[in-house]
Short mmCIF file of all heavy atoms in Angstrom, two decimals:
data_model
loop_
_atom_site.label_atom_id
_atom_site.label_comp_id
_atom_site.label_asym_id
_atom_site.label_seq_id
_atom_site.Cartn_x
_atom_site.Cartn_y
_atom_site.Cartn_z
N PRO P 610 73.80 85.48 97.01
CA PRO P 610 73.90 84.07 97.69
C PRO P 610 74.53 83.12 96.74
O PRO P 610 74.30 83.16 95.59
CB PRO P 610 72.38 83.76 98.02
CG PRO P 610 71.60 84.57 97.03
CD PRO P 610 72.39 85.89 96.69
N VAL P 611 75.26 82.13 97.39
CA VAL P 611 75.91 81.09 96.66
C VAL P 611 74.90 80.02 96.32
O VAL P 611 74.10 79.72 97.19
CB VAL P 611 77.11 80.56 97.33
CG1 VAL P 611 77.65 79.32 96.57
CG2 VAL P 611 78.19 81.62 97.39
N ARG P 612 74.82 79.54 95.15
CA ARG P 612 73.79 78.56 94.72
C ARG P 612 74.10 77.17 95.36
O ARG P 612 75.12 76.85 95.75
CB ARG P 612 73.78 78.39 93.16
CG ARG P 612 73.43 79.61 92.54
CD ARG P 612 73.09 79.41 90.98
NE ARG P 612 71.91 78.63 90.87
CZ ARG P 612 71.37 78.27 89.70
NH1 ARG P 612 71.98 78.66 88.51
NH2 ARG P 612 70.26 77.64 89.63
N ARG P 613 73.02 76.48 95.61
CA ARG P 613 73.06 75.22 96.30
C ARG P 613 74.07 74.26 95.51
O ARG P 613 74.03 74.21 94.28
CB ARG P 613 71.65 74.61 96.39
CG ARG P 613 71.64 73.28 97.16
CD ARG P 613 70.20 72.70 97.23
NE ARG P 613 69.29 73.67 97.84
CZ ARG P 613 68.00 73.49 97.91
NH1 ARG P 613 67.45 72.47 97.41
NH2 ARG P 613 67.25 74.41 98.46
N ASN P 614 74.69 73.31 96.28
CA ASN P 614 75.67 72.33 95.81
C ASN P 614 76.82 72.95 95.10
O ASN P 614 77.46 72.31 94.27
CB ASN P 614 74.93 71.45 94.86
CG ASN P 614 73.74 70.63 95.52
OD1 ASN P 614 73.82 70.34 96.66
ND2 ASN P 614 72.75 70.48 94.70
N SER P 615 77.20 74.14 95.36
CA SER P 615 78.34 74.82 94.80
C SER P 615 79.63 74.35 95.55
O SER P 615 79.53 74.08 96.83
CB SER P 615 78.33 76.34 94.84
OG SER P 615 77.28 76.83 94.12
N LEU P 616 80.69 74.08 94.83
CA LEU P 616 81.92 73.65 95.42
C LEU P 616 82.99 74.79 95.31
O LEU P 616 82.93 75.62 94.39
CB LEU P 616 82.45 72.43 94.79
CG LEU P 616 81.43 71.23 94.71
CD1 LEU P 616 82.02 70.05 93.90
CD2 LEU P 616 81.18 70.78 96.20
N ARG P 617 84.00 74.73 96.18
CA ARG P 617 85.02 75.75 96.13
C ARG P 617 85.90 75.59 94.97
O ARG P 617 86.39 74.58 94.64
CB ARG P 617 85.82 75.82 97.41
CG ARG P 617 86.90 76.80 97.42
CD ARG P 617 87.38 77.03 98.86
NE ARG P 617 88.47 78.11 98.86
CZ ARG P 617 88.88 78.68 99.94
NH1 ARG P 617 88.35 78.39 101.13
NH2 ARG P 617 89.78 79.57 99.88
N ALA P 618 86.06 76.71 94.23
CA ALA P 618 86.90 76.63 92.97
C ALA P 618 88.31 76.38 93.42
O ALA P 618 88.89 76.85 94.33
CB ALA P 618 86.89 78.09 92.27
N GLY P 619 88.97 75.47 92.61
CA GLY P 619 90.37 75.02 92.80
C GLY P 619 90.42 73.77 93.71
O GLY P 619 91.49 73.25 93.74
N SER P 620 89.32 73.30 94.11
CA SER P 620 89.41 72.12 94.97
C SER P 620 88.56 70.99 94.43
O SER P 620 88.55 69.82 94.97
CB SER P 620 88.93 72.36 96.41
OG SER P 620 87.51 72.83 96.36
N CYS P 621 87.84 71.22 93.35
CA CYS P 621 86.90 70.17 92.77
C CYS P 621 87.14 69.80 91.42
O CYS P 621 86.58 68.74 90.87
CB CYS P 621 85.46 70.70 93.02
SG CYS P 621 85.26 72.26 92.06
N GLU P 622 87.95 70.53 90.59
CA GLU P 622 88.04 70.26 89.25
C GLU P 622 89.04 69.12 88.84
O GLU P 622 88.98 68.55 87.80
CB GLU P 622 88.62 71.52 88.50
CG GLU P 622 87.66 72.74 88.71
CD GLU P 622 88.17 73.55 89.90
OE1 GLU P 622 88.99 73.03 90.76
OE2 GLU P 622 87.62 74.71 90.02
N GLY P 623 89.91 68.73 89.79
CA GLY P 623 90.96 67.78 89.48
C GLY P 623 90.35 66.47 89.08
O GLY P 623 90.90 65.77 88.09
N SER P 624 89.33 66.00 89.74
CA SER P 624 88.73 64.66 89.39
C SER P 624 87.58 64.82 88.36
O SER P 624 86.98 63.90 88.01
CB SER P 624 88.20 64.05 90.68
OG SER P 624 87.27 64.86 91.33
N PHE P 625 87.27 66.12 88.06
CA PHE P 625 86.10 66.33 87.16
C PHE P 625 86.59 66.53 85.70
O PHE P 625 86.04 65.85 84.81
CB PHE P 625 85.38 67.61 87.64
CG PHE P 625 84.15 68.01 86.78
CD1 PHE P 625 83.02 67.20 86.81
CD2 PHE P 625 84.16 69.03 85.90
CE1 PHE P 625 81.95 67.50 85.95
CE2 PHE P 625 83.08 69.36 85.13
CZ PHE P 625 82.04 68.67 85.14
N TRP P 626 87.59 67.44 85.55
CA TRP P 626 88.05 67.63 84.21
C TRP P 626 88.94 66.43 83.79
O TRP P 626 89.62 65.80 84.65
CB TRP P 626 88.96 68.85 84.19
CG TRP P 626 88.02 70.14 84.00
CD1 TRP P 626 86.87 70.25 83.40
CD2 TRP P 626 88.35 71.45 84.59
NE1 TRP P 626 86.39 71.56 83.57
CE2 TRP P 626 87.40 72.28 84.20
CE3 TRP P 626 89.44 71.90 85.31
CZ2 TRP P 626 87.29 73.62 84.61
CZ3 TRP P 626 89.45 73.25 85.68
CH2 TRP P 626 88.41 74.11 85.34
N ARG P 627 89.01 65.99 82.53
CA ARG P 627 89.88 65.01 82.02
C ARG P 627 90.30 65.45 80.65
O ARG P 627 89.57 65.98 79.90
CB ARG P 627 89.12 63.65 82.01
CG ARG P 627 87.82 63.64 81.38
CD ARG P 627 87.35 62.20 81.33
NE ARG P 627 86.00 62.15 80.75
CZ ARG P 627 84.89 62.01 81.47
NH1 ARG P 627 84.97 61.90 82.72
NH2 ARG P 627 83.73 61.93 80.77
N GLY P 628 91.57 65.06 80.34
CA GLY P 628 92.09 65.38 79.05
C GLY P 628 91.32 64.73 77.89
O GLY P 628 90.72 63.73 78.05
N THR P 629 91.40 65.39 76.76
CA THR P 629 90.57 64.91 75.54
C THR P 629 91.41 65.13 74.31
O THR P 629 92.68 65.37 74.38
CB THR P 629 89.27 65.58 75.50
OG1 THR P 629 88.51 65.03 74.32
CG2 THR P 629 89.47 67.11 75.26
N SER P 630 90.95 64.91 73.18
CA SER P 630 91.70 65.15 71.99
C SER P 630 90.72 65.85 70.95
O SER P 630 89.50 65.86 71.11
CB SER P 630 92.15 63.80 71.37
OG SER P 630 91.04 63.08 70.97
N ARG P 631 91.34 66.39 69.89
CA ARG P 631 90.57 67.09 68.87
C ARG P 631 89.65 66.05 68.23
O ARG P 631 88.42 66.41 67.95
CB ARG P 631 91.49 67.73 67.81
CG ARG P 631 90.77 68.61 66.80
CD ARG P 631 91.80 69.11 65.75
NE ARG P 631 92.82 69.95 66.42
CZ ARG P 631 92.77 71.15 66.83
NH1 ARG P 631 91.67 71.81 66.56
NH2 ARG P 631 93.74 71.67 67.44
N GLN P 632 90.07 64.85 67.99
CA GLN P 632 89.18 63.88 67.37
C GLN P 632 87.92 63.54 68.25
O GLN P 632 86.83 63.44 67.72
CB GLN P 632 89.92 62.67 67.06
CG GLN P 632 89.16 61.49 66.28
CD GLN P 632 90.03 60.26 66.06
OE1 GLN P 632 91.22 60.28 66.39
NE2 GLN P 632 89.38 59.35 65.38
N ASP P 633 88.16 63.40 69.51
CA ASP P 633 87.09 63.10 70.43
C ASP P 633 86.07 64.29 70.52
O ASP P 633 84.91 63.97 70.53
CB ASP P 633 87.60 62.79 71.82
CG ASP P 633 88.17 61.46 71.86
OD1 ASP P 633 87.94 60.55 71.08
OD2 ASP P 633 88.96 61.18 72.87
N VAL P 634 86.60 65.44 70.46
CA VAL P 634 85.65 66.63 70.55
C VAL P 634 84.89 66.72 69.26
O VAL P 634 83.64 67.03 69.22
CB VAL P 634 86.47 67.85 70.74
CG1 VAL P 634 85.65 69.17 70.54
CG2 VAL P 634 87.10 67.92 72.14
N GLN P 635 85.53 66.43 68.13
CA GLN P 635 84.72 66.46 66.81
C GLN P 635 83.75 65.40 66.70
O GLN P 635 82.69 65.62 66.18
CB GLN P 635 85.82 66.30 65.67
CG GLN P 635 86.73 67.49 65.39
CD GLN P 635 86.00 68.72 65.10
OE1 GLN P 635 84.95 68.70 64.36
NE2 GLN P 635 86.38 69.83 65.57
N LYS P 636 83.98 64.19 67.31
CA LYS P 636 82.95 63.16 67.38
C LYS P 636 81.88 63.62 68.21
O LYS P 636 80.72 63.19 67.91
CB LYS P 636 83.62 61.85 67.85
CG LYS P 636 84.47 61.08 66.83
CD LYS P 636 84.76 59.67 67.24
CE LYS P 636 85.75 59.67 68.48
NZ LYS P 636 86.24 58.23 68.70
N THR P 637 82.07 64.27 69.31
CA THR P 637 81.00 64.77 70.15
C THR P 637 80.11 65.72 69.36
O THR P 637 78.94 65.61 69.45
CB THR P 637 81.61 65.41 71.36
OG1 THR P 637 82.38 64.51 72.16
CG2 THR P 637 80.46 65.93 72.29
N LEU P 638 80.70 66.68 68.64
CA LEU P 638 79.94 67.52 67.83
C LEU P 638 79.06 66.83 66.77
O LEU P 638 77.97 67.17 66.62
CB LEU P 638 80.88 68.52 67.12
CG LEU P 638 81.38 69.71 68.07
CD1 LEU P 638 82.48 70.52 67.30
CD2 LEU P 638 80.31 70.59 68.59
N MET P 639 79.75 65.94 66.04
CA MET P 639 79.01 65.20 64.96
C MET P 639 77.95 64.38 65.60
O MET P 639 76.84 64.33 64.97
CB MET P 639 80.06 64.30 64.21
CG MET P 639 81.05 65.12 63.45
SD MET P 639 82.34 64.00 62.70
CE MET P 639 81.27 63.05 61.54
N ALA P 640 78.17 63.74 66.77
CA ALA P 640 77.12 62.93 67.35
C ALA P 640 76.00 63.79 67.85
O ALA P 640 74.77 63.35 67.72
CB ALA P 640 77.72 62.09 68.54
N ALA P 641 76.19 64.99 68.37
CA ALA P 641 75.18 65.81 68.79
C ALA P 641 74.32 66.32 67.64
O ALA P 641 73.05 66.35 67.76
CB ALA P 641 75.77 67.07 69.49
N ARG P 642 74.97 66.74 66.57
CA ARG P 642 74.16 67.14 65.31
C ARG P 642 73.33 65.98 64.81
O ARG P 642 72.13 66.14 64.51
CB ARG P 642 75.16 67.65 64.26
CG ARG P 642 75.94 68.87 64.62
CD ARG P 642 76.93 69.22 63.62
NE ARG P 642 77.60 70.49 64.00
CZ ARG P 642 78.96 70.70 63.83
NH1 ARG P 642 79.67 69.76 63.26
NH2 ARG P 642 79.49 71.82 64.27
N GLN P 643 73.84 64.73 64.67
CA GLN P 643 73.09 63.65 64.29
C GLN P 643 71.98 63.28 65.18
O GLN P 643 70.93 62.95 64.80
CB GLN P 643 74.04 62.48 63.96
CG GLN P 643 73.32 61.17 63.48
CD GLN P 643 72.63 61.41 62.09
OE1 GLN P 643 72.74 62.44 61.50
NE2 GLN P 643 71.87 60.39 61.78
N TYR P 644 72.34 63.30 66.40
CA TYR P 644 71.33 63.03 67.45
C TYR P 644 70.09 63.94 67.40
O TYR P 644 68.98 63.57 67.43
CB TYR P 644 71.93 63.10 68.87
CG TYR P 644 71.08 62.75 70.01
CD1 TYR P 644 70.79 61.55 70.50
CD2 TYR P 644 70.42 63.84 70.68
CE1 TYR P 644 69.89 61.28 71.60
CE2 TYR P 644 69.59 63.69 71.76
CZ TYR P 644 69.34 62.34 72.19
OH TYR P 644 68.52 62.20 73.32
N ASP P 645 70.42 65.33 67.29
CA ASP P 645 69.35 66.23 67.23
C ASP P 645 68.52 66.08 65.90
O ASP P 645 67.27 66.21 65.96
CB ASP P 645 69.99 67.64 67.18
CG ASP P 645 68.86 68.74 67.50
OD1 ASP P 645 68.31 68.73 68.52
OD2 ASP P 645 68.79 69.60 66.58
N ARG P 646 69.16 65.64 64.85
CA ARG P 646 68.50 65.45 63.57
C ARG P 646 67.64 64.19 63.65
O ARG P 646 66.49 64.20 63.20
CB ARG P 646 69.49 65.36 62.53
CG ARG P 646 68.94 65.27 61.05
CD ARG P 646 70.12 65.38 60.06
NE ARG P 646 69.63 65.30 58.71
CZ ARG P 646 70.44 65.32 57.61
NH1 ARG P 646 71.76 65.36 57.82
NH2 ARG P 646 69.94 65.31 56.49
N ALA P 647 68.16 63.10 64.22
CA ALA P 647 67.45 61.83 64.31
C ALA P 647 66.25 61.82 65.25
O ALA P 647 65.26 61.21 64.98
CB ALA P 647 68.39 60.71 64.56
N ARG P 648 66.38 62.67 66.29
CA ARG P 648 65.28 62.66 67.28
C ARG P 648 64.27 63.76 67.04
O ARG P 648 63.40 63.91 67.93
CB ARG P 648 65.93 62.80 68.67
CG ARG P 648 66.88 61.74 69.12
CD ARG P 648 66.03 60.48 69.39
NE ARG P 648 66.84 59.44 69.84
CZ ARG P 648 66.90 59.11 71.21
NH1 ARG P 648 66.42 59.84 72.14
NH2 ARG P 648 67.76 58.07 71.62
N LYS P 649 64.42 64.47 65.99
CA LYS P 649 63.47 65.61 65.64
C LYS P 649 62.14 64.94 65.40
O LYS P 649 61.95 64.07 64.52
CB LYS P 649 63.98 66.32 64.54
CG LYS P 649 63.06 67.56 64.13
CD LYS P 649 63.66 68.34 62.96
CE LYS P 649 62.69 69.34 62.51
NZ LYS P 649 61.45 68.79 61.79
N GLU P 650 61.04 65.42 66.09
CA GLU P 650 59.72 64.91 65.88
C GLU P 650 59.10 65.56 64.70
O GLU P 650 59.30 66.72 64.41
CB GLU P 650 58.93 65.17 67.17
CG GLU P 650 59.41 64.40 68.35
CD GLU P 650 58.54 64.72 69.61
OE1 GLU P 650 57.49 65.51 69.41
OE2 GLU P 650 58.92 64.28 70.71
N PRO P 651 58.20 64.82 64.00
CA PRO P 651 57.55 65.41 62.82
C PRO P 651 56.71 66.58 63.17
O PRO P 651 55.96 66.55 64.19
CB PRO P 651 56.58 64.19 62.37
CG PRO P 651 57.25 63.03 62.87
CD PRO P 651 57.88 63.38 64.28
N GLY P 652 56.86 67.57 62.37
CA GLY P 652 56.11 68.90 62.64
C GLY P 652 56.84 69.88 63.53
O GLY P 652 56.38 70.96 63.68
N LYS P 653 57.90 69.36 64.17
CA LYS P 653 58.63 70.25 65.13
C LYS P 653 59.76 70.97 64.25
O LYS P 653 60.31 70.36 63.38
CB LYS P 653 59.24 69.49 66.20
CG LYS P 653 58.27 68.93 67.27
CD LYS P 653 57.60 70.01 68.03
CE LYS P 653 56.78 69.41 69.20
NZ LYS P 653 57.51 68.73 70.20
N ARG P 654 59.99 72.30 64.66
CA ARG P 654 61.09 72.96 63.98
C ARG P 654 62.45 72.53 64.34
O ARG P 654 63.33 72.47 63.53
CB ARG P 654 60.91 74.49 64.34
CG ARG P 654 61.89 75.35 63.57
CD ARG P 654 61.64 76.88 63.90
NE ARG P 654 62.55 77.73 63.23
CZ ARG P 654 62.59 79.01 63.32
NH1 ARG P 654 61.69 79.64 64.12
NH2 ARG P 654 63.43 79.72 62.69
N ASN P 655 62.66 72.26 65.60
CA ASN P 655 63.94 71.84 66.09
C ASN P 655 63.89 70.43 66.74
O ASN P 655 62.89 69.93 67.11
CB ASN P 655 64.50 72.82 67.09
CG ASN P 655 64.62 74.22 66.53
OD1 ASN P 655 65.28 74.36 65.50
ND2 ASN P 655 64.16 75.25 67.24
#
């Protein structure tokens, strides 16, 4: 069975995907690492 809210491939990606750059992708990675580190609760492993 097809999962709920699925869209037909080839008809939905045009307005969803958008161009990016290496710098923006690297900023996303750095932000995720820092976010995970800053939001880590005391006593938690991750």
Side-chain angles (χ1 to χ4, degrees):
V611 172
R612 301 193 66 179
R613 183 180 301 177
N614 300 326
S615 295
L616 303 174
R617 180 164 181 163
S620 65
C621 58
E622 303 90 348
S624 59
F625 180 72
W626 282 329
R627 52 174 177 259
T629 184
S630 66
R631 189 181 303 276
Q632 183 177 0
D633 286 339
V634 170
Q635 290 298 321
K636 281 194 291 189
T637 300
L638 282 175
M639 293 174 64
R642 291 170 183 144
Q643 176 62 6
Y644 177 87
D645 193 60
R646 187 176 182 179
R648 295 295 183 94
K649 180 178 174 295
E650 298 179 3
K653 291 289 185 67
R654 181 178 180 181
N655 297 314

